[in-house]
Amino acid sequence: MKFWRVFLVNAALLVMLGLQQAHAERTPGDYVVISYHDIVDTTVTPDLPIYSQTITRARLIEHFNLLSAGGYQPVSLQQIIDAKAGGQPLPDKAVLLTFDDGYRSFYDIVFPLLKLYGFPAVQAVVGSWLDVPEGGRVPYGNITLPRERFLTWEQVQILDESPLVEIASHTYNLHYGVKGNPMGNEQAAAVTSIWNPETGYESEAAYVERIRNDMARTQQQFQTHMGRSPRMMVWPYGASSQATLDIAAEYGMIYTFSLLSAPNQLHSSMRSINRYLIDQETGLQTIEEILSDRVWEPEDLRIVHVDIDYVYDDDPIQQEQNLDRLIERIYNYGVTTVYLQAFADPDGDGVADELYFPNRHLPVRADLFNRVAWQLKKRAGVKVYAWMPVLSFDLGDDYRYVIDSQTGLEAPDRYRRLSPYVEDNRRIIREIYQDLGRLTKFDGVIFHDDAFLNDFEDANPEALAAYAQASLPRDITAIKNDASLMAAWTQHKTQFLTDFTRELEQAANYYRQADNKEFTTARNLYARTVMNPESQQWFSQDIQNFASGYDFVAVMAMPYMEEAENPDEWLRELARRSLAQVSSKQLVFELQTQDWRTQTPVSSEELARWVRLLREEGIQHIGYYPDDFLQNHPNLSVLRPAFSNGRRFRATP
């Protein structure tokens, strides 16, 4: 009874704090997967070292008792597969138990408990650790552990013969960290192209071969010792990618597990199954919230737009100091998300002349994006988007750029943009995005505001040919003289740009590490297209098109840039018009911290007022650009009370 009293008191406290009440029911056909590791019986081995994610036998029994008392139904993977195929439905409150790393404790402690409770479970073993001879040492992070801490093949075979246990692969030898950049950040071996100070980054071909060899080795090992291939891959650290999922499937491991904390729906793909990570600090209240789908997370996004140009410095010591200041600021801010610049733009013209990550096509100003993004993810605990151009890459004068039909030349008052209708341009941009995904770590993409074509663009021959294929005249003047043709042309270009960004999304996500945050996309939208719908033809942008193409529509809510006479009323009207077309769950409003007309900062007090009025109008997700963390602008002490969302949460999903 004590547990339930604590839960009710805490639930009441959440309501008092103004937090949304969680839903207390699971949905039909869903299942929750939880991930355990080593188990220690402190009454038998009180001096045994306890490592990360280890829990005690007593705590595990508490969890098992909660499962039984709460009506939760542990199921096997086969039951889930059968239910998905239309067989016996899953029981209510279905739960799949998994145990990682192949510890001896699974045989000695967990297996007897599984038999006692009648619970099925999955055990994921690391093949190379099993191959260590008796009396040897198993590599475990930066240390080694005695071989006897882990299962033997004889024990694995006994477990596999039980109807309660299925053995999965935890890779053959990918359960370790590798250097992912010149600064030495350790990142998961399965999803990282290794950095070598002498040879540079592992090539794409070498990386793929390494992963493929590991999958082949684990398949061969299972065949040798158990007479079958594994059908499950449990990714070390929960880190996988679309590429690793494809390779694992080639070797029969079509079911894989991540550490994305969310329930699973029976109708969803089992290509990457969500799991909740459990450790000794996961008390009864927390695990009950997980099992019953009463997990809380921030309700509203608070987004800071960061230029790596502010971090970069020729002096590496100063650069590290800049990075530390950024991390400390973001950590203490109470924000959820950082839009992080991945391209170099020191002159502020919005065009990428260099990039902050290794790639095939542009110079690298500094190999810095991966370092900054990783530190933000791991030290500040925020979700990081790669802020990337769509078209504005300056590759030199030998390439084909968007041209104006009036002059046959590039428009001097616009971003320099590669023509998206030229296939070679599209290939190059896709490759840049693929390099971003393979050689850096991030959680989403925010597409720059350069993805536009005005009412005289694009007039390249390939563009004119595309218009003809869309049943439009090749003559832009003829299009402009006919209102219906103009509307069709605007719609064509709008969708063409959106479709191209979806290609870029796929390219960026193919090798990108997926860990405990869902991959999402956003795209900048000019506010003028909302305030003056006629202007959609000047940009080939449409808020409803964006809402269907991306997770978030990032409206550039910048009153001084738009020369609004009354900024407050302009923001309120922009909010009302945007919310009339798109759900608040998809809208992001990006404020400006600089008045670029006068090159002066917008006061922190004014920014705080803008945030409050947008919240009054129902805007949930708010960000600003840029954050000058070196000069403390905006001033945290002024803006944080209005901007931080440390106490605003929602139930998931």
Side-chain angles (χ1 to χ4, degrees):
M1 293 296 295
K2 180 179 178 182
F3 161 70
W4 290 107
R5 286 200 300 271
V6 170
F7 178 79
L8 290 172
V9 169
N10 286 347
L13 179 61
L14 291 172
V15 173
M16 289 173 59
L17 290 173
L19 306 184
Q20 179 179 324
Q21 179 61 49
H23 299 289
E25 295 182 1
R26 296 266 299 272
T27 58
D30 71 355
Y31 59 99
V32 169
V33 184
I34 53 180
S35 167
Y36 293 102
H37 286 75
D38 197 11
I39 313 297
V40 172
D41 189 340
T42 54
T43 64
V44 177
T45 55
D47 299 324
L48 191 68
I50 297 178
Y51 299 101
S52 177
Q53 283 87 52
T54 300
I55 73 169
T56 64
R57 179 179 182 273
R59 178 55 55 87
L60 182 65
I61 289 174
E62 289 178 348
H63 290 181
F64 279 15
N65 286 340
L66 177 61
L67 288 170
S68 294
Y72 299 101
Q73 303 289 323
V75 296
S76 67
L77 179 75
Q78 189 60 51
Q79 286 178 266
I80 297 171
I81 295 170
D82 291 344
K84 185 176 179 64
Q88 181 70 29
L90 284 179
D92 292 338
K93 299 184 178 180
V95 179
L96 177 61
L97 305 175
T98 67
F99 293 79
D100 293 2
D101 294 354
Y103 291 102
R104 169 71 179 260
S105 62
F106 185 84
Y107 187 84
D108 293 339
I109 298 173
V110 180
F111 189 38
L113 291 174
L114 295 178
K115 290 188 284 188
L116 177 65
Y117 285 84
F119 290 172
V122 172
Q123 169 58 241
V125 297
V126 181
S128 61
W129 295 358
L130 283 167
D131 281 350
V132 173
E134 184 179 353
R137 306 284 298 185
V138 171
Y140 188 85
N142 295 322
I143 62 172
T144 62
L145 295 178
R147 175 64 182 84
E148 55 266 25
R149 289 288 299 272
F150 297 89
L151 294 167
T152 66
W153 272 115
E154 291 75 17
Q155 291 165 341
V156 169
Q157 290 163 355
I158 292 171
L159 292 169
D160 192 52
E161 290 170 358
S162 169
L164 293 176
V165 178
E166 180 165 354
I167 305 298
S169 173
H170 207 26
T171 74
Y172 179 78
N173 188 29
L174 293 174
H175 198 298
Y176 63 99
V178 298
K179 284 185 172 60
N181 55 44
M183 294 80 170
N185 287 122
E186 283 207 353
Q187 299 169 338
V191 289
T192 302
S193 294
I194 301 171
W195 164 261
N196 185 307
E198 296 180 359
T199 59
Y201 284 98
E202 183 178 31
S203 70
E204 179 182 358
Y207 164 74
V208 170
E209 182 180 13
R210 174 165 60 85
I211 304 305
R212 196 179 299 281
N213 288 343
D214 192 274
M215 298 298 106
R217 187 75 179 271
T218 198
Q219 183 188 60
Q220 180 185 42
Q221 189 185 48
F222 269 61
Q223 286 285 1
T224 299
H225 290 279
M226 292 191 290
R228 64 170 179 83
S229 297
R231 61 177 179 173
M232 282 185 279
M233 171 57 67
V234 178
W235 298 108
Y237 320 111
S240 64
S241 67
Q242 297 300 314
T244 61
L245 297 182
D246 287 346
I247 296 171
E250 290 177 21
Y251 290 89
M253 289 167 279
I254 58 175
Y255 309 111
T256 81
F257 293 83
S258 70
L259 285 176
L260 181 63
S261 300
N264 298 277
Q265 303 298 319
L266 196 61
H267 59 76
S268 299
S269 169
M270 297 176 68
R271 180 175 160 92
S272 182
I273 300 170
N274 306 325
R275 294 193 300 168
Y276 291 92
L277 181 61
I278 305 299
D279 59 24
Q280 182 66 13
E281 302 306 313
T282 309
L284 288 179
Q285 177 178 331
T286 301
I287 197 156
E288 203 282 333
E289 289 171 350
I290 290 171
L291 293 169
S292 61
D293 191 19
R294 287 198 295 259
V295 179
W296 301 84
E297 69 175 25
E299 167 85 84
D300 305 329
L301 301 182
R302 291 294 176 264
I303 301 161
V304 173
H305 217 133
V306 174
D307 285 2
I308 292 189
D309 294 328
Y310 286 78
V311 178
Y312 172 77
D313 198 283
D314 289 332
D315 180 354
I317 296 176
Q318 183 61 55
Q319 183 170 279
E320 278 300 299
Q321 291 175 351
N322 294 345
L323 176 56
D324 286 342
R325 291 177 67 177
L326 170 64
I327 300 301
E328 181 179 9
R329 178 179 173 91
I330 296 300
Y331 179 80
N332 291 322
Y333 209 159
V335 301
T336 63
T337 309
V338 170
Y339 289 169
L340 183 64
Q341 172 195 15
F343 62 102
D345 184 24
D347 59 5
D349 68 354
V351 178
D353 306 294
E354 300 172 314
L355 299 174
Y356 280 117
F357 58 91
N359 69 97
R360 284 168 266 188
H361 298 290
L362 277 172
V364 179
R365 189 182 195 201
D367 187 358
L368 193 54
F369 178 83
N370 188 31
R371 166 74 167 172
V372 178
W374 187 252
Q375 296 289 86
L376 284 166
K377 282 168 59 67
K378 298 304 178 184
R379 290 173 55 193
V382 294
K383 183 167 183 173
V384 177
Y385 282 66
W387 168 26
M388 283 286 289
V390 177
L391 304 175
S392 57
F393 298 94
D394 192 343
L395 300 176
D397 293 337
D398 293 336
Y399 289 82
R400 307 273 298 286
Y401 297 90
V402 172
I403 59 175
D404 190 306
S405 62
Q406 302 167 103
T407 64
L409 302 171
E410 298 176 54
D413 58 340
R414 305 281 185 175
Y415 291 133
R416 182 173 221 194
R417 286 153 292 144
L418 291 166
S419 171
Y421 289 98
V422 176
E423 172 53 37
D424 197 44
N425 287 346
R426 292 200 299 274
R427 174 188 59 80
I428 289 169
I429 300 171
R430 284 194 299 267
E431 289 175 352
I432 289 173
Y433 272 75
Q434 189 179 82
D435 292 340
L436 171 75
R438 184 170 69 87
L439 296 169
T440 73
K441 303 290 186 280
F442 56 96
D443 307 303
V445 172
I446 167 74
F447 293 110
H448 191 35
D449 63 348
D450 66 315
F452 69 87
L453 294 168
N454 72 18
D455 53 340
F456 292 96
E457 296 171 337
D458 179 13
N460 274 288
E462 293 86 349
L464 300 178
Y467 307 154
Q469 287 184 342
S471 300
L472 292 163
R474 288 176 177 265
D475 185 343
I476 291 178
T477 301
I479 293 175
K480 290 177 65 65
N481 289 334
D482 185 307
S484 63
L485 289 175
M486 189 69 184
W489 185 45
T490 300
Q491 183 179 25
H492 161 80
K493 292 189 295 181
T494 300
Q495 189 60 51
F496 186 88
L497 289 171
T498 296
D499 290 343
F500 181 51
T501 60
R502 298 302 295 272
E503 292 179 29
L504 300 182
E505 172 190 342
Q506 293 172 8
N509 195 36
Y510 187 63
Y511 288 114
R512 183 197 67 90
Q513 171 180 306
D515 46 25
N516 62 344
K517 291 182 173 63
E518 185 178 1
F519 182 63
T520 46
T521 59
R523 182 172 164 195
N524 281 336
L525 177 79
Y526 288 109
R528 198 172 306 177
T529 64
V530 180
M531 299 295 277
N532 178 12
E534 182 186 359
S535 69
Q536 292 174 11
Q537 68 188 26
W538 308 339
F539 298 101
S540 302
Q541 294 186 353
D542 174 74
I543 190 170
Q544 292 178 323
N545 175 276
F546 281 26
S548 65
Y550 312 97
D551 297 288
F552 299 100
V553 182
V555 179
M556 298 169 66
M558 301 180 179
Y560 291 130
M561 187 175 77
E562 298 294 341
E563 300 183 344
E565 292 184 7
N566 186 323
D568 290 14
E569 286 306 311
W570 182 87
L571 282 170
R572 288 189 186 278
E573 185 63 21
L574 179 63
R576 293 165 187 159
R577 294 191 182 196
S578 298
L579 288 167
Q581 301 182 72
V582 176
S583 164
S584 63
K585 294 181 180 180
Q586 276 193 277
L587 280 175
V588 171
F589 264 45
E590 290 190 279
L591 299 169
Q592 62 184 114
T593 64
Q594 294 288 322
D595 185 344
W596 291 289
R597 302 171 305 174
T598 60
Q599 298 302 312
T600 57
V602 175
S603 74
S604 300
E605 290 77 11
E606 185 166 29
L607 284 167
R609 186 176 72 251
W610 288 350
V611 170
R612 286 191 290 267
L613 73 84
L614 288 177
R615 288 170 54 191
E616 290 172 6
E617 293 296 334
I619 299 298
Q620 290 184 240
H621 310 314
I622 304 172
Y624 65 78
Y625 168 80
D627 184 70
D628 188 348
F629 56 91
L630 298 177
Q631 302 299 323
N632 188 30
H633 183 70
N635 188 312
L636 255 62
S637 64
V638 175
L639 187 60
R640 181 164 45 196
F643 189 69
S644 171
N645 74 342
R647 291 185 173 231
R648 288 184 287 278
F649 290 82
R650 70 177 174 86
T652 60

